[in-house]
Amino acid sequence: MQAPPVRATAIPSFTDALRRVESLLLSGGQRTARRNAWTSVLEDRRRAKDRVEAQRFLERAAAGPS
C-alpha cells in the first residue's frame, strides 16, 4: 500500500496573511504610503540607537582611561 503524496506547499506566515488582508482593504497608493512610513520609523529608530551609542562612546572617551 502506497502512502499518500506529500504536499510541498508552505503554510503562509502571519506576515503574509496580514499583507493579503492589507491588499484587500487598501488601495495601492495607501499601501505604499504605509510601508514608506514604517520604513521611516525603522530608520529613525536605527539613527536614535546610533546616536546613543556614539554618546556613550564619547562619554567614556572623555572620562579617560580607567
Side-chain angles (χ1 to χ4, degrees):
M1 187 170 169
Q2 289 184 334
V6 177
R7 282 193 166 174
T9 56
I11 298 173
S13 69
F14 183 70
T15 303
D16 291 338
L18 284 178
R19 284 196 176 138
R20 287 194 181 118
V21 169
E22 174 190 59
S23 69
L24 293 173
L25 297 177
L26 300 177
S27 70
Q30 290 173 323
R31 192 167 50 246
T32 301
R34 186 198 59 79
R35 287 189 183 151
N36 288 344
W38 183 245
T39 300
S40 294
V41 167
L42 295 177
E43 185 63 21
D44 287 345
R45 289 178 181 175
R46 187 194 60 78
R47 281 193 298 261
K49 180 182 173 191
D50 289 346
R51 279 192 303 271
V52 168
E53 289 176 3
Q55 182 65 33
R56 288 178 182 159
F57 175 81
L58 292 173
E59 288 170 355
R60 283 193 305 262
S66 297

Tab-separated table of all heavy atoms in Angstrom:
chain	number	residue	atom	x	y	z
A	1	MET	N	0.845	-1.176	0.000
A	1	MET	CA	0.000	0.000	0.000
A	1	MET	C	0.889	1.236	0.000
A	1	MET	O	1.821	1.339	0.791
A	1	MET	CB	-0.879	-0.013	1.250
A	1	MET	CG	-1.888	1.059	1.274
A	1	MET	SD	-3.006	0.698	2.636
A	1	MET	CE	-3.862	2.196	2.693
A	2	GLN	N	0.581	2.178	-0.886
A	2	GLN	CA	1.398	3.383	-1.003
A	2	GLN	C	0.888	4.480	-0.081
A	2	GLN	O	-0.313	4.599	0.166
A	2	GLN	CB	1.376	3.902	-2.430
A	2	GLN	CG	2.136	3.035	-3.401
A	2	GLN	CD	2.140	3.677	-4.778
A	2	GLN	OE1	1.260	4.432	-5.107
A	2	GLN	NE2	3.145	3.334	-5.568
A	3	ALA	N	1.852	5.275	0.408
A	3	ALA	CA	1.488	6.434	1.236
A	3	ALA	C	0.950	7.535	0.329
A	3	ALA	O	1.353	7.659	-0.826
A	3	ALA	CB	2.707	6.928	1.997
A	4	PRO	N	0.040	8.336	0.856
A	4	PRO	CA	-0.481	9.441	0.031
A	4	PRO	C	0.634	10.453	-0.263
A	4	PRO	O	1.577	10.580	0.515
A	4	PRO	CB	-1.571	10.059	0.906
A	4	PRO	CG	-1.288	9.610	2.280
A	4	PRO	CD	-0.545	8.305	2.172
A	5	PRO	N	0.548	11.133	-1.411
A	5	PRO	CA	1.585	12.098	-1.754
A	5	PRO	C	1.646	13.244	-0.726
A	5	PRO	O	0.630	13.638	-0.156
A	5	PRO	CB	1.176	12.619	-3.125
A	5	PRO	CG	-0.257	12.282	-3.268
A	5	PRO	CD	-0.519	11.086	-2.383
A	6	VAL	N	2.844	13.723	-0.497
A	6	VAL	CA	3.051	14.813	0.458
A	6	VAL	C	2.949	16.133	-0.285
A	6	VAL	O	3.538	16.302	-1.350
A	6	VAL	CB	4.440	14.688	1.130
A	6	VAL	CG1	4.693	15.848	2.069
A	6	VAL	CG2	4.550	13.365	1.852
A	7	ARG	N	2.209	17.066	0.284
A	7	ARG	CA	2.096	18.384	-0.321
A	7	ARG	C	3.322	19.213	0.027
A	7	ARG	O	3.782	19.213	1.156
A	7	ARG	CB	0.860	19.112	0.182
A	7	ARG	CG	-0.395	18.643	-0.455
A	7	ARG	CD	-1.482	19.603	-0.160
A	7	ARG	NE	-2.597	19.342	-1.036
A	7	ARG	CZ	-3.741	19.935	-0.957
A	7	ARG	NH1	-3.949	20.827	-0.032
A	7	ARG	NH2	-4.709	19.638	-1.796
A	8	ALA	N	3.814	19.952	-0.928
A	8	ALA	CA	5.015	20.760	-0.726
A	8	ALA	C	4.687	22.242	-0.577
A	8	ALA	O	5.569	23.072	-0.627
A	8	ALA	CB	5.970	20.550	-1.879
A	9	THR	N	3.419	22.570	-0.402
A	9	THR	CA	3.062	23.985	-0.267
A	9	THR	C	3.312	24.429	1.166
A	9	THR	O	2.980	23.731	2.122
A	9	THR	CB	1.587	24.239	-0.629
A	9	THR	OG1	0.777	23.397	0.180
A	9	THR	CG2	1.332	23.950	-2.091
A	10	ALA	N	3.924	25.595	1.293
A	10	ALA	CA	4.246	26.132	2.619
A	10	ALA	C	3.010	26.774	3.233
A	10	ALA	O	2.156	27.325	2.536
A	10	ALA	CB	5.356	27.160	2.500
A	11	ILE	N	2.924	26.691	4.524
A	11	ILE	CA	1.855	27.366	5.253
A	11	ILE	C	2.205	28.852	5.303
A	11	ILE	O	3.333	29.209	5.659
A	11	ILE	CB	1.725	26.795	6.680
A	11	ILE	CG1	1.360	25.318	6.611
A	11	ILE	CG2	0.712	27.587	7.496
A	11	ILE	CD1	1.378	24.612	7.940
A	12	PRO	N	1.274	29.717	4.902
A	12	PRO	CA	1.598	31.143	4.886
A	12	PRO	C	1.895	31.660	6.295
A	12	PRO	O	1.273	31.246	7.270
A	12	PRO	CB	0.360	31.810	4.303
A	12	PRO	CG	-0.714	30.793	4.346
A	12	PRO	CD	-0.077	29.451	4.471
A	13	SER	N	2.850	32.563	6.365
A	13	SER	CA	3.206	33.138	7.660
A	13	SER	C	2.163	34.178	8.053
A	13	SER	O	1.333	34.602	7.240
A	13	SER	CB	4.590	33.785	7.593
A	13	SER	OG	4.531	34.943	6.781
A	14	PHE	N	2.241	34.599	9.284
A	14	PHE	CA	1.323	35.618	9.781
A	14	PHE	C	1.508	36.910	8.985
A	14	PHE	O	0.540	37.577	8.635
A	14	PHE	CB	1.578	35.858	11.276
A	14	PHE	CG	0.627	36.835	11.898
A	14	PHE	CD1	-0.696	36.496	12.090
A	14	PHE	CD2	1.064	38.082	12.281
A	14	PHE	CE1	-1.580	37.397	12.659
A	14	PHE	CE2	0.186	38.988	12.852
A	14	PHE	CZ	-1.142	38.645	13.039
A	15	THR	N	2.754	37.243	8.670
A	15	THR	CA	3.038	38.451	7.898
A	15	THR	C	2.411	38.362	6.514
A	15	THR	O	1.827	39.334	6.024
A	15	THR	CB	4.562	38.659	7.768
A	15	THR	OG1	5.127	38.715	9.064
A	15	THR	CG2	4.891	39.917	7.004
A	16	ASP	N	2.522	37.192	5.880
A	16	ASP	CA	1.909	37.009	4.563
A	16	ASP	C	0.393	37.198	4.639
A	16	ASP	O	-0.204	37.833	3.769
A	16	ASP	CB	2.220	35.624	4.006
A	16	ASP	CG	3.677	35.448	3.630
A	16	ASP	OD1	4.361	36.455	3.390
A	16	ASP	OD2	4.127	34.286	3.598
A	17	ALA	N	-0.192	36.663	5.683
A	17	ALA	CA	-1.643	36.799	5.848
A	17	ALA	C	-2.032	38.261	6.034
A	17	ALA	O	-3.011	38.731	5.443
A	17	ALA	CB	-2.113	35.972	7.043
A	18	LEU	N	-1.261	38.999	6.834
A	18	LEU	CA	-1.557	40.420	7.034
A	18	LEU	C	-1.427	41.200	5.734
A	18	LEU	O	-2.240	42.083	5.443
A	18	LEU	CB	-0.626	41.026	8.089
A	18	LEU	CG	-0.936	40.693	9.534
A	18	LEU	CD1	0.110	41.325	10.456
A	18	LEU	CD2	-2.319	41.163	9.912
A	19	ARG	N	-0.425	40.877	4.943
A	19	ARG	CA	-0.247	41.575	3.660
A	19	ARG	C	-1.406	41.293	2.714
A	19	ARG	O	-1.838	42.168	1.963
A	19	ARG	CB	1.076	41.172	3.026
A	19	ARG	CG	2.232	41.840	3.715
A	19	ARG	CD	3.496	41.771	2.903
A	19	ARG	NE	4.533	42.527	3.589
A	19	ARG	CZ	5.778	42.143	3.720
A	19	ARG	NH1	6.172	41.023	3.165
A	19	ARG	NH2	6.653	42.882	4.361
A	20	ARG	N	-1.911	40.084	2.743
A	20	ARG	CA	-3.058	39.765	1.878
A	20	ARG	C	-4.301	40.537	2.308
A	20	ARG	O	-5.032	41.056	1.470
A	20	ARG	CB	-3.315	38.266	1.887
A	20	ARG	CG	-2.274	37.523	1.096
A	20	ARG	CD	-2.680	36.098	0.813
A	20	ARG	NE	-1.617	35.439	0.068
A	20	ARG	CZ	-0.940	34.398	0.510
A	20	ARG	NH1	-1.225	33.872	1.673
A	20	ARG	NH2	0.011	33.876	-0.224
A	21	VAL	N	-4.529	40.601	3.609
A	21	VAL	CA	-5.673	41.370	4.110
A	21	VAL	C	-5.496	42.839	3.758
A	21	VAL	O	-6.428	43.512	3.315
A	21	VAL	CB	-5.836	41.176	5.639
A	21	VAL	CG1	-6.839	42.154	6.211
A	21	VAL	CG2	-6.249	39.746	5.940
A	22	GLU	N	-4.278	43.336	3.941
A	22	GLU	CA	-3.978	44.722	3.613
A	22	GLU	C	-4.259	45.011	2.146
A	22	GLU	O	-4.839	46.044	1.803
A	22	GLU	CB	-2.506	45.001	3.937
A	22	GLU	CG	-2.029	46.372	3.519
A	22	GLU	CD	-0.533	46.503	3.641
A	22	GLU	OE1	0.185	45.711	2.994
A	22	GLU	OE2	-0.091	47.385	4.382
A	23	SER	N	-3.874	44.109	1.268
A	23	SER	CA	-4.081	44.333	-0.162
A	23	SER	C	-5.567	44.365	-0.503
A	23	SER	O	-5.964	45.056	-1.450
A	23	SER	CB	-3.355	43.277	-0.986
A	23	SER	OG	-3.957	42.019	-0.817
A	24	LEU	N	-6.373	43.645	0.259
A	24	LEU	CA	-7.811	43.679	0.016
A	24	LEU	C	-8.437	44.974	0.514
A	24	LEU	O	-9.373	45.499	-0.087
A	24	LEU	CB	-8.494	42.497	0.707
A	24	LEU	CG	-8.175	41.113	0.155
A	24	LEU	CD1	-8.776	40.043	1.054
A	24	LEU	CD2	-8.694	40.974	-1.263
A	25	LEU	N	-7.918	45.506	1.624
A	25	LEU	CA	-8.535	46.670	2.255
A	25	LEU	C	-8.014	48.005	1.733
A	25	LEU	O	-8.755	48.988	1.717
A	25	LEU	CB	-8.323	46.603	3.771
A	25	LEU	CG	-8.967	45.414	4.483
A	25	LEU	CD1	-8.614	45.433	5.955
A	25	LEU	CD2	-10.469	45.424	4.295
A	26	LEU	N	-6.764	48.063	1.338
A	26	LEU	CA	-6.161	49.337	0.949
A	26	LEU	C	-5.856	49.367	-0.540
A	26	LEU	O	-5.530	48.354	-1.139
A	26	LEU	CB	-4.853	49.556	1.719
A	26	LEU	CG	-4.946	49.599	3.238
A	26	LEU	CD1	-3.555	49.753	3.826
A	26	LEU	CD2	-5.843	50.723	3.700
A	27	SER	N	-5.946	50.558	-1.097
A	27	SER	CA	-5.530	50.704	-2.488
A	27	SER	C	-4.011	50.704	-2.542
A	27	SER	O	-3.325	50.815	-1.524
A	27	SER	CB	-6.073	52.015	-3.057
A	27	SER	OG	-5.408	53.117	-2.455
A	28	GLY	N	-3.462	50.582	-3.725
A	28	GLY	CA	-2.013	50.504	-3.886
A	28	GLY	C	-1.288	51.707	-3.311
A	28	GLY	O	-0.246	51.565	-2.684
A	29	GLY	N	-1.798	52.902	-3.520
A	29	GLY	CA	-1.149	54.109	-3.017
A	29	GLY	C	-1.124	54.162	-1.505
A	29	GLY	O	-0.121	54.559	-0.897
A	30	GLN	N	-2.218	53.785	-0.880
A	30	GLN	CA	-2.267	53.779	0.584
A	30	GLN	C	-1.302	52.742	1.147
A	30	GLN	O	-0.639	52.981	2.149
A	30	GLN	CB	-3.685	53.468	1.068
A	30	GLN	CG	-4.668	54.578	0.819
A	30	GLN	CD	-6.085	54.152	1.151
A	30	GLN	OE1	-6.466	53.008	0.923
A	30	GLN	NE2	-6.860	55.074	1.689
A	31	ARG	N	-1.222	51.615	0.496
A	31	ARG	CA	-0.334	50.550	0.950
A	31	ARG	C	1.128	51.009	0.858
A	31	ARG	O	1.909	50.829	1.778
A	31	ARG	CB	-0.576	49.302	0.097
A	31	ARG	CG	0.045	48.056	0.628
A	31	ARG	CD	-0.474	46.796	-0.077
A	31	ARG	NE	-0.444	46.861	-1.527
A	31	ARG	CZ	-1.532	46.871	-2.302
A	31	ARG	NH1	-2.735	46.815	-1.777
A	31	ARG	NH2	-1.428	46.918	-3.615
A	32	THR	N	1.462	51.650	-0.244
A	32	THR	CA	2.825	52.163	-0.419
A	32	THR	C	3.137	53.225	0.618
A	32	THR	O	4.226	53.230	1.207
A	32	THR	CB	2.997	52.736	-1.841
A	32	THR	OG1	2.738	51.698	-2.780
A	32	THR	CG2	4.390	53.285	-2.050
A	33	ALA	N	2.204	54.116	0.869
A	33	ALA	CA	2.418	55.172	1.854
A	33	ALA	C	2.630	54.583	3.250
A	33	ALA	O	3.506	55.037	3.997
A	33	ALA	CB	1.229	56.138	1.864
A	34	ARG	N	1.857	53.572	3.609
A	34	ARG	CA	2.011	52.953	4.926
A	34	ARG	C	3.371	52.284	5.043
A	34	ARG	O	4.062	52.418	6.051
A	34	ARG	CB	0.906	51.925	5.176
A	34	ARG	CG	0.936	51.361	6.585
A	34	ARG	CD	0.161	50.069	6.716
A	34	ARG	NE	0.628	49.023	5.848
A	34	ARG	CZ	1.706	48.262	6.086
A	34	ARG	NH1	2.433	48.457	7.149
A	34	ARG	NH2	2.063	47.317	5.246
A	35	ARG	N	3.774	51.588	4.007
A	35	ARG	CA	5.085	50.912	4.051
A	35	ARG	C	6.218	51.923	4.108
A	35	ARG	O	7.198	51.719	4.831
A	35	ARG	CB	5.242	49.992	2.849
A	35	ARG	CG	4.384	48.757	2.988
A	35	ARG	CD	4.680	47.740	1.912
A	35	ARG	NE	3.763	46.606	2.077
A	35	ARG	CZ	3.344	45.850	1.095
A	35	ARG	NH1	3.765	46.086	-0.128
A	35	ARG	NH2	2.526	44.853	1.320
A	36	ASN	N	6.094	53.015	3.357
A	36	ASN	CA	7.120	54.057	3.415
A	36	ASN	C	7.193	54.670	4.808
A	36	ASN	O	8.288	54.951	5.310
A	36	ASN	CB	6.847	55.146	2.376
A	36	ASN	CG	7.113	54.682	0.962
A	36	ASN	OD1	7.767	53.672	0.738
A	36	ASN	ND2	6.592	55.420	-0.006
A	37	ALA	N	6.044	54.898	5.418
A	37	ALA	CA	6.025	55.462	6.770
A	37	ALA	C	6.689	54.509	7.754
A	37	ALA	O	7.475	54.932	8.614
A	37	ALA	CB	4.588	55.759	7.195
A	38	TRP	N	6.404	53.226	7.644
A	38	TRP	CA	7.003	52.249	8.555
A	38	TRP	C	8.514	52.162	8.349
A	38	TRP	O	9.276	52.073	9.307
A	38	TRP	CB	6.348	50.880	8.385
A	38	TRP	CG	6.882	49.883	9.347
A	38	TRP	CD1	7.587	48.754	9.058
A	38	TRP	CD2	6.787	49.918	10.775
A	38	TRP	NE1	7.922	48.093	10.210
A	38	TRP	CE2	7.448	48.792	11.281
A	38	TRP	CE3	6.200	50.806	11.664
A	38	TRP	CZ2	7.543	48.518	12.636
A	38	TRP	CZ3	6.298	50.542	13.026
A	38	TRP	CH2	6.958	49.408	13.490
A	39	THR	N	8.944	52.226	7.100
A	39	THR	CA	10.381	52.226	6.819
A	39	THR	C	11.050	53.427	7.454
A	39	THR	O	12.140	53.326	8.017
A	39	THR	CB	10.621	52.213	5.294
A	39	THR	OG1	10.024	51.028	4.757
A	39	THR	CG2	12.099	52.239	4.954
A	40	SER	N	10.379	54.580	7.418
A	40	SER	CA	10.922	55.786	8.051
A	40	SER	C	11.020	55.622	9.562
A	40	SER	O	11.999	56.057	10.175
A	40	SER	CB	10.049	56.996	7.722
A	40	SER	OG	10.114	57.285	6.352
A	41	VAL	N	10.023	55.011	10.161
A	41	VAL	CA	10.049	54.775	11.609
A	41	VAL	C	11.239	53.889	11.965
A	41	VAL	O	11.987	54.174	12.917
A	41	VAL	CB	8.728	54.117	12.079
A	41	VAL	CG1	8.848	53.572	13.495
A	41	VAL	CG2	7.586	55.116	11.996
A	42	LEU	N	11.435	52.814	11.220
A	42	LEU	CA	12.557	51.911	11.498
A	42	LEU	C	13.897	52.615	11.329
A	42	LEU	O	14.817	52.416	12.131
A	42	LEU	CB	12.478	50.685	10.588
A	42	LEU	CG	11.274	49.777	10.811
A	42	LEU	CD1	11.297	48.638	9.788
A	42	LEU	CD2	11.233	49.241	12.217
A	43	GLU	N	14.015	53.458	10.317
A	43	GLU	CA	15.256	54.196	10.088
A	43	GLU	C	15.499	55.204	11.215
A	43	GLU	O	16.632	55.372	11.672
A	43	GLU	CB	15.202	54.903	8.730
A	43	GLU	CG	16.483	55.608	8.344
A	43	GLU	CD	17.676	54.689	8.181
A	43	GLU	OE1	17.499	53.481	7.966
A	43	GLU	OE2	18.813	55.182	8.283
A	44	ASP	N	14.442	55.872	11.668
A	44	ASP	CA	14.581	56.806	12.796
A	44	ASP	C	15.046	56.077	14.051
A	44	ASP	O	15.884	56.586	14.804
A	44	ASP	CB	13.265	57.522	13.076
A	44	ASP	CG	12.914	58.566	12.025
A	44	ASP	OD1	13.818	58.937	11.236
A	44	ASP	OD2	11.750	58.986	11.994
A	45	ARG	N	14.509	54.898	14.287
A	45	ARG	CA	14.927	54.112	15.454
A	45	ARG	C	16.401	53.720	15.353
A	45	ARG	O	17.131	53.755	16.340
A	45	ARG	CB	14.069	52.856	15.588
A	45	ARG	CG	12.655	53.143	16.030
A	45	ARG	CD	11.839	51.867	16.094
A	45	ARG	NE	10.474	52.146	16.486
A	45	ARG	CZ	9.523	51.237	16.529
A	45	ARG	NH1	9.786	49.979	16.209
A	45	ARG	NH2	8.302	51.567	16.895
A	46	ARG	N	16.839	53.332	14.134
A	46	ARG	CA	18.230	52.959	13.942
A	46	ARG	C	19.154	54.148	14.201
A	46	ARG	O	20.171	54.023	14.879
A	46	ARG	CB	18.449	52.439	12.522
A	46	ARG	CG	19.853	51.864	12.306
A	46	ARG	CD	20.186	51.677	10.847
A	46	ARG	NE	20.150	52.912	10.081
A	46	ARG	CZ	21.121	53.841	10.085
A	46	ARG	NH1	22.180	53.683	10.823
A	46	ARG	NH2	21.007	54.926	9.350
A	47	ARG	N	18.763	55.324	13.689
A	47	ARG	CA	19.589	56.515	13.909
A	47	ARG	C	19.633	56.894	15.379
A	47	ARG	O	20.677	57.302	15.891
A	47	ARG	CB	19.069	57.681	13.069
A	47	ARG	CG	19.481	57.603	11.615
A	47	ARG	CD	19.223	58.906	10.883
A	47	ARG	NE	17.828	59.267	10.852
A	47	ARG	CZ	17.018	59.047	9.825
A	47	ARG	NH1	17.483	58.471	8.736
A	47	ARG	NH2	15.757	59.399	9.878
A	48	ALA	N	18.514	56.761	16.075
A	48	ALA	CA	18.490	57.069	17.507
A	48	ALA	C	19.413	56.121	18.271
A	48	ALA	O	20.148	56.553	19.174
A	48	ALA	CB	17.064	56.977	18.043
A	49	LYS	N	19.405	54.857	17.920
A	49	LYS	CA	20.288	53.883	18.567
A	49	LYS	C	21.747	54.242	18.314
A	49	LYS	O	22.582	54.199	19.222
A	49	LYS	CB	19.987	52.477	18.039
A	49	LYS	CG	20.839	51.402	18.644
A	49	LYS	CD	20.513	50.051	18.031
A	49	LYS	CE	21.492	49.014	18.514
A	49	LYS	NZ	21.381	47.772	17.765
A	50	ASP	N	22.054	54.627	17.064
A	50	ASP	CA	23.421	55.027	16.729
A	50	ASP	C	23.847	56.259	17.527
A	50	ASP	O	24.991	56.344	17.979
A	50	ASP	CB	23.551	55.319	15.234
A	50	ASP	CG	23.468	54.067	14.374
A	50	ASP	OD1	23.572	52.948	14.926
A	50	ASP	OD2	23.285	54.213	13.142
A	51	ARG	N	22.930	57.215	17.713
A	51	ARG	CA	23.258	58.423	18.495
A	51	ARG	C	23.564	58.069	19.936
A	51	ARG	O	24.507	58.598	20.530
A	51	ARG	CB	22.103	59.429	18.442
A	51	ARG	CG	22.076	60.272	17.196
A	51	ARG	CD	21.111	61.442	17.327
A	51	ARG	NE	19.764	61.037	17.637
A	51	ARG	CZ	18.840	60.737	16.735
A	51	ARG	NH1	19.137	60.771	15.455
A	51	ARG	NH2	17.619	60.390	17.099
A	52	VAL	N	22.778	57.178	20.512
A	52	VAL	CA	23.001	56.769	21.904
A	52	VAL	C	24.357	56.082	22.038
A	52	VAL	O	25.118	56.372	22.972
A	52	VAL	CB	21.853	55.853	22.392
A	52	VAL	CG1	22.205	55.190	23.709
A	52	VAL	CG2	20.565	56.647	22.515
A	53	GLU	N	24.662	55.193	21.100
A	53	GLU	CA	25.958	54.504	21.149
A	53	GLU	C	27.111	55.485	21.004
A	53	GLU	O	28.118	55.383	21.715
A	53	GLU	CB	26.021	53.438	20.060
A	53	GLU	CG	25.133	52.245	20.323
A	53	GLU	CD	25.128	51.247	19.177
A	53	GLU	OE1	25.864	51.459	18.188
A	53	GLU	OE2	24.388	50.266	19.276
A	54	ALA	N	26.992	56.466	20.110
A	54	ALA	CA	28.049	57.464	19.928
A	54	ALA	C	28.212	58.313	21.183
A	54	ALA	O	29.335	58.625	21.594
A	54	ALA	CB	27.731	58.347	18.719
A	55	GLN	N	27.092	58.681	21.789
A	55	GLN	CA	27.151	59.488	23.018
A	55	GLN	C	27.854	58.714	24.140
A	55	GLN	O	28.696	59.269	24.844
A	55	GLN	CB	25.737	59.888	23.461
A	55	GLN	CG	25.698	60.752	24.698
A	55	GLN	CD	26.338	62.110	24.477
A	55	GLN	OE1	26.275	62.654	23.380
A	55	GLN	NE2	26.953	62.654	25.498
A	56	ARG	N	27.524	57.453	24.287
A	56	ARG	CA	28.180	56.635	25.319
A	56	ARG	C	29.678	56.514	25.056
A	56	ARG	O	30.484	56.592	25.984
A	56	ARG	CB	27.542	55.258	25.387
A	56	ARG	CG	26.166	55.270	25.993
A	56	ARG	CD	25.549	53.892	26.007
A	56	ARG	NE	24.202	53.947	26.549
A	56	ARG	CZ	23.282	53.033	26.325
A	56	ARG	NH1	23.557	51.972	25.609
A	56	ARG	NH2	22.071	53.164	26.849
A	57	PHE	N	30.053	56.344	23.792
A	57	PHE	CA	31.465	56.247	23.436
A	57	PHE	C	32.193	57.539	23.791
A	57	PHE	O	33.283	57.524	24.383
A	57	PHE	CB	31.600	55.941	21.950
A	57	PHE	CG	33.020	55.944	21.473
A	57	PHE	CD1	33.821	54.835	21.671
A	57	PHE	CD2	33.557	57.068	20.850
A	57	PHE	CE1	35.148	54.840	21.247
A	57	PHE	CE2	34.861	57.074	20.423
A	57	PHE	CZ	35.667	55.971	20.614
A	58	LEU	N	31.579	58.673	23.425
A	58	LEU	CA	32.214	59.959	23.715
A	58	LEU	C	32.338	60.217	25.217
A	58	LEU	O	33.342	60.758	25.681
A	58	LEU	CB	31.426	61.090	23.049
A	58	LEU	CG	31.480	61.109	21.525
A	58	LEU	CD1	30.530	62.167	20.964
A	58	LEU	CD2	32.899	61.355	21.043
A	59	GLU	N	31.340	59.820	25.985
A	59	GLU	CA	31.396	59.982	27.436
A	59	GLU	C	32.519	59.130	28.035
A	59	GLU	O	33.234	59.586	28.929
A	59	GLU	CB	30.058	59.639	28.064
A	59	GLU	CG	28.986	60.678	27.783
A	59	GLU	CD	27.602	60.238	28.203
A	59	GLU	OE1	27.424	59.079	28.640
A	59	GLU	OE2	26.675	61.085	28.098
A	60	ARG	N	32.675	57.906	27.536
A	60	ARG	CA	33.753	57.037	28.027
A	60	ARG	C	35.116	57.606	27.643
A	60	ARG	O	36.061	57.582	28.426
A	60	ARG	CB	33.603	55.621	27.481
A	60	ARG	CG	32.540	54.806	28.180
A	60	ARG	CD	32.644	53.330	27.815
A	60	ARG	NE	32.600	53.099	26.372
A	60	ARG	CZ	31.517	52.737	25.696
A	60	ARG	NH1	30.392	52.548	26.324
A	60	ARG	NH2	31.578	52.559	24.388
A	61	ALA	N	35.223	58.137	26.420
A	61	ALA	CA	36.494	58.698	25.953
A	61	ALA	C	36.858	59.940	26.760
A	61	ALA	O	38.012	60.172	27.082
A	61	ALA	CB	36.411	59.017	24.469
A	62	ALA	N	35.860	60.764	27.105
A	62	ALA	CA	36.096	61.978	27.858
A	62	ALA	C	36.512	61.668	29.301
A	62	ALA	O	37.246	62.433	29.921
A	62	ALA	CB	34.874	62.866	27.839
A	63	ALA	N	36.041	60.529	29.814
A	63	ALA	CA	36.360	60.159	31.191
A	63	ALA	C	37.813	59.725	31.307
A	63	ALA	O	38.378	59.711	32.414
A	63	ALA	CB	35.438	59.046	31.661
A	64	GLY	N	38.423	59.375	30.202
A	64	GLY	CA	39.818	58.970	30.226
A	64	GLY	C	39.979	57.513	30.566
A	64	GLY	O	38.991	56.796	30.816
A	65	PRO	N	41.236	57.041	30.571
A	65	PRO	CA	41.465	55.627	30.880
A	65	PRO	C	41.102	55.301	32.313
A	65	PRO	O	41.291	56.100	33.210
A	65	PRO	CB	42.954	55.437	30.617
A	65	PRO	CG	43.545	56.778	30.418
A	65	PRO	CD	42.440	57.768	30.274
A	66	SER	N	40.615	54.087	32.502
A	66	SER	CA	40.210	53.677	33.857
A	66	SER	C	41.346	53.059	34.606
A	66	SER	O	42.197	52.434	34.132
A	66	SER	CB	39.069	52.652	33.765
A	66	SER	OG	37.950	53.242	33.173
